[in-house]
Amino acid sequence: MLQDEILSLLRSEATAYRSGEEMSRQLGVSRAAVWKAVEALRRAGYEIVSAPNRGYRLAAAPDDLRSRELSAALSGHTVGREVVCLDTVDSTNSEIKRRAACGAAEGLAVLANGQSGGRGRRGNAFQSLEGKGLYCSVLLRPRTPLDTLSQLTAWTAVAVCRAIETCCGLSCGIKWTNDIILNGKKLCGILTELEFEAESAAAVAVVVGVGINVGQTEADFGPVLSPIATSLIQALGYPVRRAELAVHLLTALDELYTAFPQGKADYLAEYRRRCVTTGHEVALVRPDGTRIPAFAQRVDDDFSLVCRMPDGHTETVTAGEVSVRGLLGYV
C-alpha cells in the first residue's frame, strides 16, 4: 500500500524533509498520488508537516501496529518477510504454532495489541495489557542440532537488548537466562518453544516470543508487580511508539538468524557482558520448589550458568529458575 511505503520513507529520515517529487520518483507514482496518500495518513492520525520547496516530514504518529507499514520497513529481511498484526489473540506464540502447523514459512512475525493468555516460562502468566506492550513472536526453521537450538533463548536476549538500545538509548542487562532487566526491574520476558515432528521427534520449528513492557505505568502493574517490573515510558519519561520498536526488534532478530549459529562468539561475549546474574549469590529453584543457595560464577561456552555450591563443588545449570539476591524481590 502506498501509504505504508511513504511512511517507511518518511521514517528513514525522521528529522529530514522528503520532497513529494523525490518520493513519487522513488515509488514510481505521480506526485498527486503521493499527496493523496499523505492526506490519508493525516486523517488516520499521523502528523506530517510540509514546507514549500522542502517537502514532507513525519512529526508524530499514532501508536498503531500496521502489517503493511512494518513489512515496508523490513523489506529484504527473512525475519519479518510476512508480518501479521492482530488486535487481540490468546498468545502470539500460540498463533505462530497454529500457522506453522499449516505450513507457514520461516520469518513469519505475529504481533498483537493485547493477549488474553500471554505465557511466560514454566507456564507462568505474562501480563499483556492491551495497547501497553509489544507482544511479538516469530517463526524460525533452523537446521541445527537440538543442543544448539537450546541456545536461541540466550541469543534472543542479546538481540532484544540491542533493539532496545538502538531504539531508545537504554542499556539493559540480562538475568539468566531470559529476563531483560532495566534499573533493577524486569522490562521484558522471552519464551522460546520448539515444535517437533511426531514420527521422527526432530525439531521442525522454533517459536521465539518476546514481550516488552512499553507503556505501562506503576498503576498498571499494581502492587504485586510494580516493585519488580518496569516499562520504557517509566524509564524514559515519554512514550515509545511500538511500531518503531517492532522494526528494531525484528531487524535485530533477523540479524540474529543470519548469524546463527556461526556468530556465536559475538553473542556469547555480549551475553556475558550484560548478564546481571554472575558474581552474585543466587537461589537455584528445583522442579519441586526447593531453593538451593549458590554463587553464580560465570556463563560457560554453551550459555549455561556455572555455580559454586555451599559445599564448594561447582554445578552447571542448563535450565530452570534462578533467583538473584537483591533483584526482583529476592532478598
Side-chain angles (χ1 to χ4, degrees):
M1 179 182 276
L2 182 58
Q3 294 176 32
D4 297 308
E5 292 177 312
I6 287 175
L7 276 176
S8 181
L9 290 177
L10 292 176
R11 188 170 288 110
S12 66
E13 296 183 35
T15 60
Y17 284 85
R18 300 294 294 263
S19 74
E21 180 179 357
E22 175 193 355
M23 288 193 291
S24 67
R25 184 171 58 251
Q26 190 166 344
L27 298 175
V29 298
S30 67
R31 290 188 63 179
V34 170
W35 179 84
K36 288 181 180 179
V38 168
E39 289 303 304
L41 288 168
R42 284 169 170 163
R43 290 192 297 271
Y46 292 85
E47 184 181 339
I48 300 175
V49 297
S50 56
N53 302 319
R54 300 181 71 185
Y56 302 99
R57 181 174 64 84
L58 180 63
D63 191 22
D64 294 335
L65 295 171
R66 297 161 52 113
S67 297
R68 287 193 178 96
E69 177 187 347
L70 296 178
S71 294
L74 297 165
S75 178
H77 292 191
T78 297
V79 175
R81 71 195 328 163
E82 180 185 358
V83 180
V84 176
C85 294
L86 304 173
D87 184 22
T88 302
V89 71
D90 52 352
S91 157
T92 54
N93 266 32
S94 296
E95 181 65 17
I96 285 278
K97 288 181 182 181
R98 290 188 285 265
R99 292 174 183 250
C102 295
E106 64 177 1
L108 168 67
V110 172
L111 298 92
N113 197 46
Q115 298 181 118
S116 60
R119 295 179 287 113
R121 292 176 66 238
R122 303 180 70 186
N124 294 326
F126 182 83
Q127 187 196 64
S128 308
L129 299 180
E130 190 168 335
K132 296 287 187 174
L134 179 62
Y135 316 119
C136 172
S137 298
V138 300
L139 172 62
L140 307 178
R141 297 189 184 275
R143 297 171 180 82
T144 53
L146 188 58
D147 59 345
T148 302
L149 289 179
S150 66
Q151 300 173 15
L152 260 175
T153 298
W155 284 60
T156 301
V158 172
V160 171
C161 288
R162 290 178 177 180
I164 292 170
E165 190 159 358
T166 302
C167 181
C168 307
L170 297 171
S171 181
C172 298
I174 301 170
K175 174 183 168 291
W176 190 92
T177 178
N178 68 328
D179 287 338
I180 306 304
I181 303 297
L182 180 63
N183 298 329
K185 295 184 177 183
K186 182 174 177 176
L187 177 70
C188 167
I190 298 165
L191 177 62
T192 303
E193 298 180 286
L194 302 183
E195 291 292 286
F196 296 93
E197 186 178 62
E199 293 184 0
S200 67
V204 295
V206 182
V207 182
V208 178
V210 177
I212 303 175
N213 298 329
V214 179
Q216 290 93 335
T217 64
E218 185 174 336
D220 289 326
F221 287 125
V224 175
L225 292 179
S226 59
I228 61 174
T230 190
S231 67
L232 293 177
I233 195 171
Q234 286 181 297
L236 294 169
Y238 58 83
V240 173
R241 187 166 182 260
R242 289 175 299 156
E244 182 179 353
L245 180 60
V247 170
H248 286 287
L249 173 62
L250 293 173
T251 297
L253 291 175
D254 185 67
E255 292 171 351
L256 175 159
Y257 199 40
T258 300
F260 186 80
Q262 292 82 5
K264 176 181 175 179
D266 179 40
Y267 281 81
L268 178 60
E270 186 165 347
Y271 188 94
R272 286 169 167 163
R273 177 173 63 82
R274 292 186 183 271
C275 186
V276 299
T277 304
T278 50
H280 292 87
E281 294 181 5
V282 299
L284 310 183
V285 184
R286 303 305 194 192
D288 63 359
T290 303
R291 301 172 69 89
I292 308 297
F295 182 83
Q297 292 182 314
R298 60 187 177 87
V299 173
D300 72 9
D301 290 348
D302 294 321
F303 295 93
S304 298
L305 187 66
V306 179
C307 295
R308 185 177 70 244
M309 306 307 290
D311 63 1
H313 84 277
T314 60
E315 179 174 328
T316 300
V317 183
T318 59
E321 223 33 68
V322 176
S323 297
V324 182
R325 186 174 296 279
L327 192 66
L328 306 187
Y330 174 51
V331 296

